[in-house]
Amino acid sequence: MNENDSIVPRIEIGEWGDTALDWINDNFEWLLDFLATLLNWLVSTLTDALVTVPALVLVAIFALIGLLVRSWELAVGTAVTFLLIIAMDQWVTAMQTLALVLMATLVAILIAVPIGILAARSDRVSAVVRPVLDFMQTMPAFVYLIPAVVFFGIGVVPGVFATVIFALPPGVRLTELGIRGVDAETVEAGQAFGATPRQILRGIQLPLAMPTIMAGVNQVIMLSLSMAVIAGIAGADGLGKEVVASISTLDGPQGIEAGLGVVIIAIYLDRVTAALGKPGDYPHSLLGVLRRRSGDNGGGPDGDAQDEARNRIEGGADKGRGLAQVGL
Amino acid sequence: MASISAQHLYKVFGRRPRRGVDALEGGATRADLRKQGLTPAVIDASFEVKEGEIFVVMGLSGSGKSTLIRMVNGLLEPTSGSVTIDGEDVTRLTGDRLRAVRREKVSMVFQHFALLPHRTVGENAAYALEVSGVGRSEREKRAAKALEMVGLGGWGGSLPGELSGGMRQRVGLARALASGTDIMLMDEAFSALDPLIRRDMQDQLIELQQDLDKTILFITHDLNEAMRLGDRIAMMRDGRIEQVGTAQEILNAPVNRYVADFVQDVDRSRVLTASDIMEPLQGGAPEGAVVPAEAALADLFADATEHEQLVVQGTAGEAVGTIRRADLLAALRTDTATSPTDGATPGSSTDTLQPTGGAA
């Protein structure tokens, strides 16, 4: 069939991979079942909670979160756009997608941060992890649906599984980057005063790396949302399923409305998590105002010197870059 | 008691650094090692820091002084040689035993302060006590006391970001003081500060040292700072210690061309003191203006213009020596460096010399 047949033999990597998947499926059924039950329970519980609360109350809560961490502008924008979701009759599907994204993010962070910490501490771990992350990030996302469906069948669980794999890498990378980027002298100070590696990690490295780690969380969320449609193909309920349905029936209005819903959730989550990572950039957030008020009571004796010296070291370089990768 | 002793310390960076040490001991130069991909940072450094002394290691960037200080508290492991603290070899310690030395014996002040920006000044000052597991109320008390000592009483609730550079380094100093160790390592501690504030901090350190009597290893690239602070000074170049001595000895008897070139621009009138250049009293009651033994030469000119001879007064108020106007002028001639006899007699300089406010 192929002129290369005689020189380069056909290597059946695909077959081997498929065999490996079957083997895992046969031998770790108990683990897969456990994961499936757990993930299913988590997502459905969160979905139920989000859907049970009256939509208008939830919109108010989302707006309040925006006000707390960022600005009144975000609060107003949130209220308007989420009311639009209700008006488009996509509220329930939007909450299903939100629950899936939040759970997938949570799982991805729980896996990514420890791996990132290990990679930051050991060059060897880092060297092993990096190509694996490259693989995970560049493999077309649809391919993850194959093991997901083999392992977990159809539904929300394979959606979460595929999403976690696809969204994990930036969480690991930015955790490693953040910890490696912590000022070496400050870490040395911890060592010089006799802190244990654990004390240095918890007291110095993680707090100082937090802005970068939060940028990683932001990226994880954005990638999770970009997987929403693909999760829909695997049968997860939500906006993604609506989009898939609209493609198969060429239903323009449905596709536009469901797509808009994804965009609205994406922008909201991006703005909130970006602000969480750099609270200093948003002095007019409700939290910032409250913090300053309590800070004034405990401050130093000389207000002038304080103002003069109060120069923030942070730059807003990656404000809002989160959306760039989503490709919505 | 608390003293540091370093014997034949080597630190070579690169793959299989041990072979670099062997080569250096066999007479190889730094350039020879570079060809093999090795970087020798410290070469055969030996020195003693006595209890209650400020010992300054002075060298330009790349001379290996920062590497040297990091081998004292185990932040870097020497390739060869050893460091003993109070007679205990700390070079091969690891884990809990190394941490115990750092908690109980040796604290450190850093060039760029190395404070935790997310914690208050008080929490930063208490950091060493926190990692050693001292209870909250106790460590808050000790941290507040240390902040008081460095002139930051009442600032405990501020964040480091709200303080100026000089104030931040005071917090760094308070953190080391609060730890209660007898030995303090100061790595270019004042180098990042602007000149006026640097001078303030030097004065403050000298003042604190009079009460505290810590054993201090101080690293700097600023020769005037070294002369001002150091009871003794080690001059370092290209990883080697060229000369160890008092400011007076280094000014008047540099061991080689490099040290001589280096010290020629030093403001001798501020570094040398009356006791450094006086003729010890041979008996009798000399006449002239009375000046304190620790006065810098610059402060003697006013009296010297009025009087042909100055009488140097010891700490107990007794006359200990005399300075003629010509001696004062001669002491400022830079070429005295080549003829040590011009200044003080070597015998008197070693036991009476106190450069600037060291441990008296």
Side-chain angles (χ1 to χ4, degrees), chain A residues 178-220:
Chain A
I179 290 180
R180 284 185 185 263
V182 170
D183 175 43
E185 211 184 46
T186 311
V187 175
E188 259 187 348
Q191 294 170 336
F193 285 103
T196 60
R198 175 181 291 266
Q199 285 171 324
I200 290 172
L201 180 69
R202 294 173 54 121
I204 298 176
Q205 288 172 315
L206 283 181
L208 297 193
M210 203 40 84
T212 313
I213 296 177
M214 283 308 297
V217 171
N218 176 282
Q219 294 288 300
V220 169

Side-chain angles (χ1 to χ4, degrees), chain B residues 273-278 280 293 320 344-355:
Chain B
T273 62
S275 63
D276 293 340
I277 64 162
M278 69 184 185
V320 292
T345 52
S348 73
S349 71
T350 41
D351 34 50
T352 58
L353 176 65
Q354 289 299 338

Side-chain angles (χ1 to χ4, degrees), chain B residues 23-46:
Chain B
L24 287 165
E25 281 172 342
T29 64
R30 270 161 73 99
D32 295 338
L33 263 70
R34 288 247 170 70
K35 282 182 207 137
Q36 303 178 46
L38 295 174
T39 311
V42 173
I43 304 168
D44 197 15
S46 299

Side-chain angles (χ1 to χ4, degrees), chain B residues 146-214:
Chain B
L147 286 171
E148 199 77 45
M149 280 161 75
V150 299
L152 284 184
W155 283 89
S158 308
L159 287 172
E162 296 165 352
L163 306 185
S164 67
M167 292 164 84
R168 283 186 222 180
Q169 190 56 303
R170 282 167 200 268
V171 179
L173 192 55
R175 176 171 62 181
L177 290 174
S179 73
T181 60
D182 288 331
I183 297 175
M184 290 202 324
L185 306 180
M186 303 186 72
D187 179 23
E188 300 253 16
F190 305 150
S191 300
L193 306 174
D194 57 44
L196 278 178
I197 293 172
R198 190 183 311 168
R199 218 181 150 79
D200 273 357
M201 294 295 288
Q202 291 165 356
D203 289 340
Q204 172 126 46
L205 182 66
I206 289 167
E207 201 184 307
L208 281 170
Q209 173 66 354
Q210 273 164 1
D211 299 333
L212 297 173
D213 229 16
K214 301 271 184 194

Side-chain angles (χ1 to χ4, degrees), chain B residues 108-151:
Chain B
M108 192 161 177
V109 182
F110 292 85
Q111 179 173 9
H112 299 110
F113 326 136
L115 301 177
L116 300 177
H118 60 293
R119 296 186 171 209
T120 65
V121 165
E123 286 165 346
N124 268 289
Y127 182 75
L129 302 169
E130 184 191 327
V131 299
S132 329
V134 174
R136 175 177 289 275
S137 63
E138 167 74 10
R139 66 176 191 249
E140 277 174 359
K141 208 169 69 191
R142 281 164 67 178
K145 198 174 147 215
L147 286 171
E148 199 77 45
M149 280 161 75
V150 299

